[in-house]
């Protein structure tokens, strides 16, 4: 009976599964033609983050679809959030990343024959978020500085960047290397530009304030991790660092792009373990963070920077010669804010963090809703474990029919390989299951009862 139920569920789902290949192909072709000059951006002022780079790529994608003749570009705010994989409804956080882009100054070098031109400009022009009121869709409008608008929206020399891949990168450095790899994959020597270590440190971290670099730390915390992550998420190529030394000191770097043969199944399993580092999340929790906060911190922070900061805080707490920390969580946040690790040999450790600002009512509600969503995911996992095998198979078949086409490519591959046992993909399944089992948004009454039950 169970076998027949499984076959019936699969047969019912098959017409929709047949559409998955076409849907995946269309989604994988969602690419932005990114000007080569805009790939290895070295900020001259300000900073760039992983999320700001995602947002910028999504802006470029939609601007190119709307055309170079448009002075401004507009899309739905929800569309931006979906395309950039911004897993939060916190528009204040989104605004802060947009401000970072507006405050970042870049230099643009172009040449034509004997003529050369240097342009210094902002990365992004004015941005407007329009919220018409309850029940109506919000929109976001943006523009580019006029001197580089056409070069961005209709570039003469560009690299096709797949949003599906770039949006899955977990570190800023990996996102940069992915775009550089895509650019130099078809070049004769498959070697990137050769620049000094400080230049690469700025480009790979999105920071403009780096004046000295300990290469050992840069390689350990940024470059090595980014290369492993890129190897996991890119099917087309991997990259390796080429060090140019004077004596024993590494002074300049290049990266070599290596076309990748079809990876083995075992290789995919091994590399996947290195991208979503659950052990690092547990270390953050041990420093005083709630699980949901630790997961958010991991998702929005460069992994190399986070790992270095956690290492430092752990060492600091073990140092009996210093007074104990009042709050290890606050100390970690301060370390991340200053990003002292890897900034240079003379960089100092962060001072004791001041008392954190009490969260606003809106922030508390936002966090409570996030905790509620995680709570329902855990309940969905427990409910699934209690189901009969036929019922489980039916839910899995329905998930593959309805949701698989919308998953990011690396997560979809993980699901096809390991199914419900995939550490990377199983949370997508249980989040989807929770939404179907408990449809509709959480009510104020349910949130209040949930908050009271946790406080008890």
């Amino acid at each position: 009976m169970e076998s027949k139920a499984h076959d019936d569920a699969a047969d019912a789902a098959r017409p929709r599964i047949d559409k998955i290949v076409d849907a995946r192909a269309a989604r994988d072709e969602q690419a932005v033609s990114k000007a080569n000059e805009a790939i290895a951006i070295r900020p001259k002022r300000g900073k760039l983050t992983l999320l700001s780079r995602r947002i910028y790529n999504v802006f470029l994608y939609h601007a190119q679809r709307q055309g170079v003749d448009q002075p401004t570009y507009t899309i739905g705010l929800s569309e931006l959030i979906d395309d950039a994989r911004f897993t939060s409804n916190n528009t204040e956080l989104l605004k802060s990343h947009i401000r970072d882009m507006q405050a970042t100054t870049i230099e643009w070098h172009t040449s034509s024959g004997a003529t050369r031109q240097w342009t210094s400009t902002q990365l992004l022009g004015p941005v407007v978020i329009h919220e018409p009121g309850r029940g109506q869709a919000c929109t976001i409008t943006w523009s580019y500085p006029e001197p580089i608008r056409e070069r961005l929206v209709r570039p003469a020399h560009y690299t096709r960047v797949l949003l599906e891949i770039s949006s899955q990168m977990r570190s800023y450095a990996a996102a940069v290397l992915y775009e550089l790899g895509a650019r130099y994959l078809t070049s004769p020597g498959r070697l990137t530009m050769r620049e000094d270590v400080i230049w690469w440190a700025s480009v790979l971290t999105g920071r403009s304030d780096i004046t000295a670099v300990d290469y050992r730390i840069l390689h350990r915390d940024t470059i090595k991790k980014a290369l492993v992550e890129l190897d996991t998420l890119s099917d087309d190529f991997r990259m390796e660092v080429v060090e140019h030394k004077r004596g024993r000191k590494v002074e300049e770097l290049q990266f070599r792009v290596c076309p990748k043969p079809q990876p083995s199944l075992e290789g995919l399993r091994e590399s996947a373990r290195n991208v979503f580092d659950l052990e690092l999340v547990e270390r953050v929790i041990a420093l005083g963070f709630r699980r949901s906060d630790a997961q958010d911190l991991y998702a929005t922070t460069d992994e190399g920077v986070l790992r270095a900061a956690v290492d430092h805080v752990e060492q600091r707490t073990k140092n009996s010669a210093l007074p104990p920390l009042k709050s290890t969580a606050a100390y970690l946040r301060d370390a991340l804010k200053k990003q002292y690790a890897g900034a240079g040999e003379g960089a100092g450790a962060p001072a004791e963090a001041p008392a954190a600002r009490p969260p606003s009512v809106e922030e508390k509600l936002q966090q409570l809703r996030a905790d509620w969503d995680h709570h329902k995911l855990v309940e969905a996992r427990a409910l699934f474990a209690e189901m009969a095998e036929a019922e489980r198979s039916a839910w899995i078949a329905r998930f593959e029919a309805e949701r698989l086409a919308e998953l990011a490519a690396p997560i979809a591959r993980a699901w096809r390989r390991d199914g419900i046992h995939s550490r990377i993909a199983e949370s997508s399944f249980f989040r989807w299951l929770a939404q179907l089992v408990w449809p509709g948004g959480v009510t104020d009454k349910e949130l209040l009862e949930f908050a009271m039950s946790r406080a008890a």
Side-chain angles (χ1 to χ4, degrees), residues 158-442:
Y158 61 86
T159 298
R160 289 182 72 253
V161 175
L162 295 176
L163 297 184
E164 190 68 21
I165 300 298
S166 65
S167 66
Q168 291 305 304
M169 297 299 172
R170 303 301 294 262
S171 69
Y172 186 88
V176 173
L177 289 179
Y178 164 67
E179 294 182 13
L180 279 172
R183 174 182 176 183
Y184 286 96
L185 178 62
T186 56
S187 66
R190 296 198 177 99
L191 281 171
T192 68
M193 66 284 283
R194 176 173 171 173
E195 299 287 350
D196 63 72
V197 171
I198 292 179
W199 187 92
W200 278 110
S202 179
V203 167
L204 293 177
T205 61
R207 294 172 54 195
S208 62
D209 60 345
I210 296 177
T211 57
V213 174
D214 184 332
Y215 177 69
R216 295 168 300 173
I217 296 177
L218 177 69
H219 182 269
R220 182 194 68 195
D221 295 341
T222 301
I223 295 175
K224 186 178 179 181
K225 300 295 182 182
L227 290 176
V228 171
E229 184 178 345
L230 177 68
D231 190 23
T232 300
L233 294 178
S234 173
D235 288 335
D236 299 325
F237 60 86
R238 61 180 180 85
M239 296 177 74
E240 55 188 33
V241 64
V242 180
E243 301 173 347
H244 298 276
K245 299 181 179 180
R246 176 175 295 179
R248 300 175 64 180
K249 182 180 180 183
V250 178
E251 292 196 341
E252 295 180 325
L253 301 175
Q254 285 178 285
F255 289 87
R256 179 179 289 112
V257 186
C258 307
K260 182 184 290 187
Q262 186 65 32
S264 67
L265 185 63
E266 186 60 31
L268 280 173
R269 287 198 182 104
E270 288 300 318
S271 58
R273 293 193 184 104
N274 295 320
V275 178
F276 301 90
D277 194 339
L278 299 183
E279 180 183 353
L280 181 56
V281 174
E282 293 299 327
R283 291 170 65 192
V284 174
I285 293 172
L287 293 177
F289 284 76
R290 288 186 299 177
R291 179 170 298 278
S292 57
D293 291 339
Q295 291 170 342
D296 288 345
L297 190 66
Y298 177 79
T300 57
T301 306
D302 185 297
E303 186 174 302
V305 173
L306 179 59
R307 187 183 305 280
V310 170
D311 288 343
H312 171 79
V313 176
E314 289 175 342
Q315 293 171 9
R316 171 64 178 81
T317 57
K318 296 175 183 176
N319 191 338
S320 58
L322 296 174
L325 297 173
K326 296 178 181 177
S327 170
T328 53
Y331 189 76
L332 175 61
R333 289 191 184 280
D334 191 56
L336 289 171
K337 180 180 179 181
K338 295 179 179 178
Q339 289 194 11
Y340 64 91
E345 295 182 8
E352 180 79 26
R357 174 184 63 84
S360 66
V361 174
E362 183 61 34
E363 289 171 335
K364 289 181 179 179
L365 282 174
Q366 177 71 25
Q367 183 58 58
L368 187 59
R369 290 181 182 276
D371 292 345
W372 168 269
D373 290 339
H374 179 72
H375 170 68
K376 301 312 288 186
L377 183 149
V378 172
E379 284 195 340
R381 184 183 285 113
L383 179 64
F384 184 80
E386 296 174 358
M387 293 179 183
E389 185 61 34
E391 191 176 1
R392 291 185 193 177
S393 299
W395 278 114
I396 289 174
R398 182 175 174 183
F399 173 76
E400 292 176 344
E402 296 181 0
R403 188 75 177 91
L404 190 59
E406 301 175 3
L407 293 179
I411 298 176
R413 286 198 301 271
W415 176 269
R416 294 189 184 99
R417 185 178 65 243
D418 300 323
I420 194 64
H421 303 294
S422 166
R423 188 176 68 183
I424 299 174
E426 60 99 18
S427 61
S428 296
F429 172 79
F430 288 118
R431 189 176 298 110
W432 168 84
L433 180 62
Q435 292 171 350
L436 292 181
V437 174
W438 300 285
V442 58

Side-chain angles (χ1 to χ4, degrees), residues 72-111:
T72 61
Y73 306 94
T74 301
I75 59 174
L77 186 60
S78 61
E79 192 170 9
L80 170 64
I81 290 173
D82 288 343
D83 288 348
R85 304 294 188 270
F86 181 60
T87 56
S88 171
N89 292 320
N90 187 346
T91 56
E92 289 304 316
L93 180 60
L94 180 66
K95 291 174 185 176
S96 71
H97 287 279
I98 291 174
R99 292 189 197 102
D100 286 343
M101 286 188 281
Q102 291 176 315
T104 300
T105 302
I106 61 170
E107 294 181 357
W108 193 290
H109 300 267
T110 55
S111 60

